[in-house]
Amino acid sequence: MRLLFIHHSRLVEQSEMRGLLTTVLAAAAVGRVSAGCTDAGNGGCSPPTDKRWDTWSMRASTYTYCYDGCVMEWLINNTVSLGLNKFAGVVGVDHYYTQQGMPCINGQPQEFAMQDALTIKWKGIFPEMRFLQYRIVSAVPYDMVVQNKITSDPDSVVRWRHQPGSSAPGNGTVCYNYASACFNDPTRINNPDHHCSFEIRAAAYNWSNPTLPSWYLDNVIKPTMVHADGVWLDGIGPDNGAYMCAGVCCGYGPTNSPLLGPEIDAHCAGQMTAGTMAQKWLISNGGWEAMRCFDYKVRGLPTADDTAAQCAANLKASAAMGADHSKYNFIVAYGSRTGGRSGYNDTTVAGTVAAFLLMRGPHWLFSIAPTPGTYSGHSPLTAGSLLPATAKVLLSDYGLPKGLMSEVPGKPGVFQREFEGATVSLDCASWTPTFTEHAVAEAEAEA
């Protein structure tokens, strides 16, 4: 019967909950699309402004996300022994990777402090890397900054001020997420062994409160720039956010949430305001927001599965985009917001890196992830490994480009680009890459 209390206080009468459950099931049966918004939007996104993002070497132009496997521990343990270049890429770290601030210390969850500690640890080893800390636009009390706001400010979160779908008065209690397994499973967030002094469940920020976006910016977003380089700003569902309290997705709306239609609209407008404020502040202060400000690109990129003609066409089109920064803000190629390795594997990675170097412009990153099969699960998350040959090409450094990509005269489908340290080329017909390092080429010429 626990699921009866998905999105209402446990003080609600059973008869009311039976009616509420009927409403939920009816909505699901007809496939009703919920009104609202599920993330912070991209209203404040623009190209990055700080030189920390102006990277051209592969070792500083990768993006990975520590959620379902993570390469960072492998890089820490193997860079010196394998003689690899030092990693300097961009890493987003999910709240699962820092165990949602568990275990609690003196009864208090420590998510923000644990993200800071991991930032300091990894940057101590790879000082040029950029670290994006996890934050979320729901009021999830993984840290006392959020919990203290919920308990001290009655207007900070969505409450049952009226009954679902009605203007009749509610009981005024905070709406919490009683649906998601991450809160309900006693072996996960609310494990007694975590020794937390209160039950941790997501509430929904009351974004209709005009003072809340500024509080959120000052207390949740700005601290990420003390040790890290910005945020990976998660949306509100359907995992650990309070989507049912905001009435914005997944079967919840004005008939079965604490908010009526106009209230949902105002909530979403406030959430967009908070997101825009966060993105603008971060970018103007040298940081970044990863969830919506990156341009994640997989479709249309050249891959080893292309025909020679498709490869050439995709390479030319992507290079044209790379040459025109007005067409994008910050591209992550061959991956999604949670990283991955879309469109390549360990056999084809060298050719894919060559294609990336040929077509890329300023502010492009290459998505990387551990070799499949070297990690499992995410409760807790596990490290993964890279093949040494894959790591070597991903951590290469050929300096700045000396011009744009060009097709090699007399060799249709073969493209090249000059960098300070090498000439990079790719034969689309065979997906054969060549990285001719200038120092090696000069030595061979002299011999």
Side-chain angles (χ1 to χ4, degrees):
M1 296 299 291
R2 187 97 182 236
L3 289 180
L4 290 178
F5 299 98
I6 286 172
H7 62 291
H8 206 299
S9 165
R10 279 180 270 193
L11 300 176
V12 177
E13 295 294 333
Q14 288 186 357
S15 60
E16 294 177 4
M17 289 308 304
R18 282 195 293 270
L20 179 58
L21 182 60
T22 300
T23 301
V24 173
L25 295 175
V30 299
R32 177 175 54 78
V33 177
S34 299
C37 49
T38 57
D39 59 41
N42 60 358
C45 297
S46 65
T49 60
D50 193 80
K51 65 181 181 180
R52 79 184 76 184
W53 307 104
D54 297 339
T55 60
W56 284 92
S57 66
M58 281 303 302
R59 71 181 188 89
S61 297
T62 59
Y63 170 75
T64 192
Y65 190 72
C66 292
Y67 169 67
D68 199 3
C70 182
V71 299
M72 292 304 298
E73 296 299 331
W74 186 90
L75 289 171
I76 289 169
N77 294 330
N78 290 277
T79 293
V80 174
S81 62
L82 294 177
L84 301 171
N85 289 328
K86 271 200 168 186
F87 174 79
V90 179
V91 181
V93 176
D94 195 86
H95 62 109
Y96 278 103
Y97 204 80
T98 42
Q99 288 82 48
Q100 293 98 4
M102 310 298 159
C104 288
I105 297 177
N106 296 322
Q108 300 182 348
Q110 304 288 315
E111 172 69 7
F112 294 178
M114 292 176 77
Q115 290 260 331
D116 276 344
L118 193 61
T119 304
I120 293 168
K121 174 188 174 182
W122 286 356
K123 283 198 167 193
I125 300 167
F126 302 125
E128 298 172 282
M129 70 169 285
R130 279 107 345 126
F131 192 114
L132 300 174
Q133 296 188 352
Y134 181 89
R135 295 293 189 267
I136 186 170
V137 292
S138 273
V140 190
Y142 296 147
D143 193 275
M144 292 306 295
V145 168
V146 179
Q147 174 65 3
N148 289 340
K149 184 65 171 175
I150 294 173
T151 57
S152 67
D153 183 353
D155 291 324
S156 64
V157 292
V158 172
R159 294 173 175 270
W160 289 97
R161 300 193 184 282
H162 49 69
Q163 297 178 22
S166 168
S167 59
N171 60 17
T173 56
V174 175
C175 176
Y176 284 109
N177 180 340
Y178 283 95
S180 295
C182 61
F183 302 119
N184 293 338
D185 185 339
T187 67
R188 297 177 68 180
I189 293 171
N190 286 303
N191 188 328
D193 290 341
H194 291 158
H195 303 294
C196 298
S197 61
F198 59 93
E199 187 178 60
I200 295 174
R201 293 187 178 276
Y205 283 118
N206 177 22
W207 293 119
S208 298
N209 178 349
T211 69
L212 199 60
S214 294
W215 174 88
Y216 186 80
L217 177 64
D218 290 340
N219 293 275
V220 178
I221 300 298
K222 287 184 179 181
T224 65
M225 291 295 290
V226 175
H227 300 291
D229 304 276
V231 305
W232 194 97
L233 188 56
D234 202 1
I236 66 172
D239 177 27
N240 66 318
Y243 56 94
M244 67 288 295
C245 297
V248 298
C249 82
C250 317
Y252 295 91
T255 63
N256 58 0
S257 79
L259 302 180
L260 301 176
E263 293 171 324
I264 292 176
D265 294 339
H267 176 90
C268 287
Q271 186 168 291
M272 296 300 108
T273 296
T276 297
M277 287 175 61
Q279 291 156 352
K280 286 186 173 181
W281 185 90
L282 286 166
I283 293 171
S284 65
N285 286 274
W288 190 250
E289 191 282 300
M291 175 75 164
R292 291 300 306 273
C293 288
F294 275 136
D295 305 283
Y296 297 100
K297 185 170 177 58
V298 175
R299 183 175 298 178
L301 296 179
T303 72
D305 293 332
D306 290 343
T307 65
Q310 288 172 332
C311 168
N314 288 338
L315 197 55
K316 290 177 180 178
S318 297
M321 173 178 284
D324 184 357
H325 209 325
S326 68
K327 294 181 179 179
Y328 64 92
N329 289 323
F330 200 157
I331 285 178
V332 171
Y334 298 103
S336 69
R337 58 192 178 87
T338 53
R341 40 167 68 191
S342 298
Y344 74 92
N345 54 38
D346 288 306
T347 302
T348 62
V349 63
T352 312
V353 166
F356 174 81
L357 290 171
L358 291 173
M359 65 191 175
R360 67 159 296 181
H363 304 130
W364 279 48
L365 300 175
F366 186 93
S367 180
I368 67 173
T371 298
T374 65
Y375 59 92
S376 61
H378 58 266
S379 297
L381 289 173
T382 54
S385 65
L386 294 170
L387 294 180
T390 295
K392 184 177 180 179
V393 72
L394 292 176
L395 294 170
S396 59
D397 187 346
Y398 301 124
L400 298 174
K402 300 172 75 174
L404 300 175
M405 180 188 78
S406 62
E407 193 163 9
V408 178
K411 296 183 177 180
V414 179
F415 299 86
Q416 68 177 16
R417 189 177 190 179
E418 293 289 338
F419 286 79
E420 291 174 332
T423 301
V424 178
S425 66
L426 178 68
D427 184 341
C428 272
S430 60
W431 199 250
T432 301
T434 303
F435 306 90
T436 306
E437 297 186 28
H438 290 161
V440 174
E442 290 168 4
E444 291 175 347
E446 291 175 0

